[in-house]
Every structure is written in C-alpha cells, then in structure tokens.
Amino acid sequence: MFTGSIVALVTPMDTKGAVDRASLKKLIDYHVSSGTAAIVSVGTTGESATLSHEEHGDVVLQTLELADGRIPVIAGTGANATAEAISLTQRFEKSGVVGCLTVTPYYNRPTQEGLYQHFKAIAENTSLPQILYNVASRTGCDMLPPTIARLAKLKNIVAVKEATGNLSRVSQIQVLVDDEDFILLSGDDASGLDFMQLGGKGVISVTANVAAREMAQLCELAALGNFAEARRLNQRLMPLHQNLFVEANPIPVKWACKALGLMATDTMRLPMTPLTDAARPVVEEALKSAGLL
C-alpha cells in the first residue's frame, strides 16, 4: 500500500467551491479500475491549505466511504502547528485509513531539531503509520537526510515522500537509515523513474490524476527491473510531468481532469485561480503527447 503509483488526488469542487461528491466518486472509480496502488486524500494537491479543518476531515471520510475498501486511502494530515497536525491525525485513528502523509511545517521554517520534535510528537500520539513529506520548494523548509534518519527510528514512521527532485538524496538517506524496511517514495514525477532506479519504491504522483494506468504500469515496470521499457513510457509522459506544473499545482492538473471528463469543473478556492488562457494549450499538448486527449 506504500509502494507503486500512489495518486496525490485532487479535490473536485462545484462552481460554488463546495466539494463535488459525484466527481469524487468518478475519480476514485477511475483509479480503482486503472490499478493505482493507493490514494492520498487531501494532501497538498488536494488543496488542504484552503479547506477548513472540518472539511478536510469530511473529504477524507467521504473518500474512504466511496472507495469502499477497493483501494487503500492515505490521509493528508500536515499542518504548520504541531497540535493541529496531531488533531487531524487522531481524527482518522479508527477511520480505516492505512496511514498518514504529513508535510513539513510551512512558513515558520523550523530548525532540524524542530522538525524532529514535530514529527516525533505526531508519531507518539497515534498508532497510524506515518509518511514524512519533504517539499522544500513549497514549504520553505527542507528536512535533511540526518533528520529523516533520526525519525526513521520511530516505530510508526515508515516512509518518506522526498519531493526535492534532488536524486542524491536517495543514497544519502539509504546510507543513514538503519531500517531496510523504511520506504523511499518520490514526490517529483519528472525524476520519479530515476528515483526508483536508485532504490525508491514508488511515486506519490500528480501525473497519476490523469494518467493513472500509465503511472501504475511505469511503477510496475520499475519494480520488475525493466527500466528500458519503463523509460520509453516515461518519455511519453514527460511533457505531463513537466507541464502539469506550468502554473502552481493543482491548477493545471485540475484543468486536465476536467478536460478528460474526470470531473465536472476545475474550480478552486481563492487565492488559487483557474488555468490561464496562455497555459491551456501547453497542458492540452501534454495530454495529447501522452495519448490521453
């Protein structure tokens, strides 16, 4: 459940900005039928920053209900206040989620010791498996390999989503972490295949929102060691890996989901705005290059 193609699922909204349950079901059904390994519900791609605490929990619980045991669900539980992250995590303790993905605190830029104490406190207040999430470009906070290695010693911290795009991090973490069962996941689609070739076990993917079957196949080929075939597939997907970030995530991927008929609208809440007219042809061409449109 913590390997392979794990989708960082978008949160579909209606034209008024409310969660669109019918589109959420359509997205989940799409991932079940496409072989996606697991869903991350209300991670950062799921617009956790603009959902209220109550809405955040409700979307995760709706995702669990609609998934109905057909696909594992991982709850996004990150916050820049440790107490809030603990509260979110504890809400899902007996919900049926298989684990939690917790992003490094944003804006307040804690020290490495602060990061260690933050994730340690969360882990000590839950029995749920925890996936660390490092994405310095979005949070302004980089969790370094020695800190990840310290946290890996805690029994329910089982994995890290490393989204810096710095492939040297793979070997740095591997050298420092004693536990061979600790899982390394890429959070950067463009370098995900290279990450897996160096020893990563999968990708928590934005691209999988629109190319679910292809990303599942890519991760399966990598797991089998068939990197020649995986690289051919990855080259076809590369325009998506890159151009789904032509504007801030999840603006392009929500437009792409709508363009493919996977959800009714590409609505987002302010301060996020729809894909610009200038960027639409770029994303459209990426979908065509991947054979999706």
Side-chain angles (χ1 to χ4, degrees), residues 142-264:
D142 188 5
M143 182 163 49
L144 299 177
T147 304
I148 293 169
R150 287 180 72 194
L151 288 165
K153 296 180 188 297
L154 302 177
K155 65 178 182 180
N156 58 333
I157 294 182
V158 300
V160 62
K161 175 186 177 182
E162 173 56 53
T164 60
N166 179 357
L167 291 170
S168 68
R169 289 288 176 94
V170 181
S171 60
Q172 290 173 25
I173 295 167
Q174 288 170 329
V175 166
L176 293 169
V177 173
D178 295 330
D179 184 359
E180 63 181 19
D181 293 326
F182 187 74
I183 298 167
L184 275 65
L185 298 166
S186 173
D188 177 61
D189 281 303
S191 62
L193 179 58
D194 294 322
F195 189 101
M196 287 186 282
Q197 193 160 9
L198 291 168
K201 299 301 182 184
V203 185
I204 298 182
S205 171
V206 174
T207 298
N209 277 283
V210 292
R213 193 176 304 280
E214 291 80 2
M215 284 302 298
Q217 184 183 359
L218 180 73
C219 290
E220 183 179 349
L221 288 167
L224 293 171
N226 188 349
F227 288 101
E229 188 64 28
R231 201 157 296 282
R232 281 190 286 272
L233 175 56
N234 197 53
Q235 284 302 111
R236 179 156 60 87
L237 296 175
M238 190 57 70
L240 274 178
H241 296 335
Q242 295 173 334
N243 291 324
L244 287 179
F245 296 90
V246 67
E247 291 180 0
N249 183 45
I251 292 172
V253 74
K254 289 194 89 170
W255 183 89
C257 284
K258 179 189 175 186
L260 296 178
L262 292 170
M263 59 189 199

Side-chain angles (χ1 to χ4, degrees), residues 108-116 141 147:
N108 38 18
R109 299 177 68 187
T111 63
Q112 295 301 304
E113 182 62 26
L115 287 171
Y116 175 77
C141 172
T147 304

